[in-house]
Amino acid sequence: MIQAQNSDASLSEVTTWFKAAEVSAFPENGGACVKYQDQQIAVFYFARRNEWYACQNMCPHKQQMILARGMVGDQCGEPKVACPYHKKTFSLITGENLNGECYEIQTYPVKVENGFVYIGIKE
Amino acid sequence: MSSLVTPPQRIIVVGNGMVGYKFCEKLVSKNQSGAFAITVFGEEPRPAYDRVHLSAYFSGTTAEELTMAPISWYEQNNITLHLGELVTDVDPVAKTITTHKGEIFAYDKLVLATGSGAFVPPINGVEKTGVFVYRTIEDLEAMLAYAPKAKTAAVIGGGLLGLEAAKAAVDMGLETHVIEFAPRLMPRQLDEAGSETLKKKLENLGISIHLKKSTTAILGEEAVNKMTFADGSELEVDMIIVSAGIKPRDEVARKAGLAVGPRGGIEVNNQLQTSDPDIFAVGESALHEGMIYGLIAPGYEMAEVVVTNLIGGEKSFTGFDMSTKLKLIGVDVASFGDPFCTETKGHPIVFEDKVKGIYKRINVSEDGKYLLGGILVGDASSYNMLLQTAKNKIILPPNPEDLILGARGGSAEPAGAGVMSLPEDATICSCENVTKGTICSSIVSDELSDVAGIKKCTKAGTSCGGCVPMLGDLLTATLKEQGKDVKKVLCEHFSYSRQEILDIVKINNIRTYDELLDQYGKGDGCEVCKPAVASILASTWNELILKQATIQDTNDRYLANIQKGGTYSVVPRIPGGEITPEKLIVIGQVAAKYSLYTKITGGQRIDMFGARIDQLPDIWEELVNAGFESGHAYGKSLRTVKSCVGSTWCRYGLHDSVGFAIQVEERYRGIRSPHKLKGGVSGCVRECAEAQSKDFGIIATEKGWNLFVCGNGGAKPQHAILFATDLDTETCLRYLDRFLMFYIKTAEPLNRTSTWLNKMEGGIDYLRQVIIEDSLGICEDLEREMAFMIETYACEWKEVVNNPELRKRFQHFINTPEPDPTIKFRQERGQVVPVVK
């Protein structure tokens, strides 16, 4: 299965598919943090939709490495994550803040192949 | 001078009464650019005066004082005023009017404010000398001239105007009779009992009231000396004032071919246009949807509507509330909404005090929720409040009789000091400095329907989020005031309230969030419904919350409190604040081993900060092995039951407050609730445990325990309220079981007990009825449910420590065991503190 919903980072721009971890390592309908070089990437598995998303782990509001521990959900169908600190929510498609504030997050394409989760990186 | 200037629109106003005057006043204020040339015709010899207070003329107020504005005002505002000139004809085709002098004036727009005349019934002898109508200052002058020759006066008509006229007769020193055809006074405003009360009051003032009397003839040679009635009786009088109603002055309109009603009145649409769109009618001459408005307020509203439309705005007249309050001969009389329960089905609540001459009636809707209308005689002090309650469809308290009787007995506390009782300038969001007024007006003007909208439009609740529950309350209350149906739904994924979901979960034996979302919700859920449902599931089934880790808030997901920098704090339970030296040493050793910052909390226990997520299970393993349990500092659940040292050591102590605090804390530990819960037990009235600032507080008395409930500190401190006194230990625990379970089952998410109580209709008295008197018959269930929670308690940390699968979840990265490299500490006062980026 290959899947990538991200509009910011289109598949064609991906230079590296980073093999993050086995599918079974990730919680359902929640997130986990993946270390890629010096970066921290939050990966979310929407089991109900069978969709995967990824974004930076740092919440831009107070610069905390935390988004992977946030609750996932949707706002009018748009997949989102809520930061555990102050419940700032971000679209996992566009990275846009959904509370009407100006900061946004980087999102990444995700694909699943042979039981492994890959994150698309643009070097 | 430029000839290109558009000539002003010629506006002719026929009639210079109160509404005709108000129309001029409103139009002038909008006529700064001189777009209108206004001409006014009044048939009376004086400019418009206050007809509402006409009876004041008899008690010494002069005609000048009653005048709305002097003639000079018309001059200053370039209004051409023709007094004593009757408009006899209107030609809608030529767009002209003709006066009784034969002069012709052209108009672009015509406003008929011709008002009404007195309706004089066709009674034999009505033309005799000594028979008057009560309408104009000229009528009054004629009466005053005649009165010295008279001793007895009868007023035909017991309505509003008739009673005004009766007052005039009393003021003229006449023996006064009121003759009413209907079986009661003010038949449009009052019911029989209200009329009876008013009648008694008036009779005490020396006015004779004759009901169900139909006048058949007025007798006398030249002047009146007697009236006869249909029932064969007679009354000797030498003066009669006819005040049997009003008759719209529609003669000119009728002659001009404009549409008029079958019983009189110039027909108008919602813009108050007559059948000719350039001719408007306002006030008592206008017939709007079959209704003549004989009150001043709707007349003024009509004037406003016409002015707005003339200047190019849009405004409609869509009927008017006919509620009235007046002082009739010193007696308060008011009638509002639907005074008789005729339009809507409802039930009256009646209060009558024959000694004081007070009658009050309120009509409550069948479901007991709304006020439909009512009648007040003798005391109308609550008129405005009642009118607002009815108009705005405010939900009634459980005892609506309090509205007319005042709260009685026992309850000194107001029935619900909710968020709407705050003043407009109260700061709701202190982060963004947003006031209640700003929020409420934004809800109305921006037509907001959810908290997210409030956040977007006002910025309130966007920083710390502490005020978000209050935003929800303001939203609900404001929408309710607007008459909009509000349902407290959890979020966009569930159209149910927390209480409804709790019932759904219980009845359908739902054990997981996904099951609930599949069957009763939609979408993927969110950070609002997930923890709320997690709490409900925990409060119902009391299963290990980590079975559904990803629906928990991060604190519950990792059973620790997240702190700045991404580390967590660890708080073992220390029930009642009592701890052995050995256990204190263990805490010290663990903190030292893992380099944790330690601090004594406000709840008499010890908090260890700076634990990395991967360290949590190891730290807890050591604590559990030393006999500690989770303190649930991370949960919306019981935190601590604070205690003073009690009778064991303290020379003032009455009972063992420490022992009882430990018993209570262990009883309710681990139970998930809508918000955190804090308790306190004090061994005497000195209250060293500060129990009155807790969700529940217990204070020793000579005879037992006093139980206080629903207090809290925090952003909006509130003292707990004394709930029950001198309880034995067993009863105290039983009440607490019921109280806490009732709170858990009925509060909204993230509402502390104080907020829950503030919103509760009926307030603390209602709560006492439910918990102590079992008014809902649910106490047995509440006790059973609480007993289940107590029996099924298990320490969450003990389970995690002993479960390798669960322990594996406590790591920062999924693809490497190394910790978060961005966590940094520095030293401060001999301990570690996080380095904030």
Side-chain angles (χ1 to χ4, degrees), chain B residues 553-565:
Chain B
D553 256 319
T554 193
N555 284 2
D556 269 328
R557 184 171 172 186
Y558 296 105
L559 304 178
N561 294 53
I562 196 163
Q563 306 292 351
K564 273 186 182 172

Side-chain angles (χ1 to χ4, degrees), chain A residues 48-49 72 74 76 85 88, chain B residues 462 492-493 524 530 563:
Chain A
R48 298 176 62 84
R49 308 170 168 217
V72 296
D74 79 287
C76 304
Y85 276 99
K88 302 291 177 190
Chain B
T462 54
E492 67 175 83
H493 306 102
D524 299 282
K530 284 182 174 180
Q563 306 292 351

Side-chain angles (χ1 to χ4, degrees), chain B residues 15-22 44 46-51 63-64 66-70 74 81 83:
Chain B
N16 187 222
M18 293 175 79
V19 175
Y21 162 77
K22 188 56 76 172
E44 290 184 55
R46 62 189 87 242
Y49 52 88
D50 182 356
R51 232 183 275 277
E64 282 65 44
L66 287 172
T67 300
M68 307 291 294
Y74 296 86
L81 180 63
L83 289 177

Side-chain angles (χ1 to χ4, degrees), chain B residues 5 25 57 106 144 170 175 232 313 317 324 334 395 397 430 443 480 553 580 582 671 739 746 782 806:
Chain B
V5 174
E25 187 193 272
Y57 193 70
L144 278 173
V170 171
E175 182 193 321
F317 182 82
T324 35
I395 300 263
S430 36
I443 292 169
K480 210 182 254 181
D553 256 319
T580 63
E582 290 73 23
I671 294 173
F739 164 74
T746 60
L782 295 176
L806 291 177

Side-chain angles (χ1 to χ4, degrees), chain B residues 39 85 94 247 266 291 350 367 410 471 475 485 603 699 799:
Chain B
T39 309
E85 254 189 285
K247 186 179 66 181
I266 308 163
M291 178 104 177
V350 170
D367 57 8
L471 297 182
L475 180 74
D485 184 34
I699 300 175
E799 295 192 39

Side-chain angles (χ1 to χ4, degrees), chain B residues 498-514:
Chain B
R498 180 183 182 277
Q499 197 176 340
E500 287 169 333
I501 290 190
L502 193 138
D503 290 339
I504 289 170
V505 161
K506 209 178 187 85
I507 293 161
N508 300 289
N509 193 26
I510 289 174
R511 301 279 172 154
T512 68
Y513 175 82
D514 279 339

Side-chain angles (χ1 to χ4, degrees), chain B residues 109 140 250 292 467 617 710:
Chain B
K109 302 277 180 198
L140 305 196
D250 57 10
I292 296 278
C467 62
C710 300

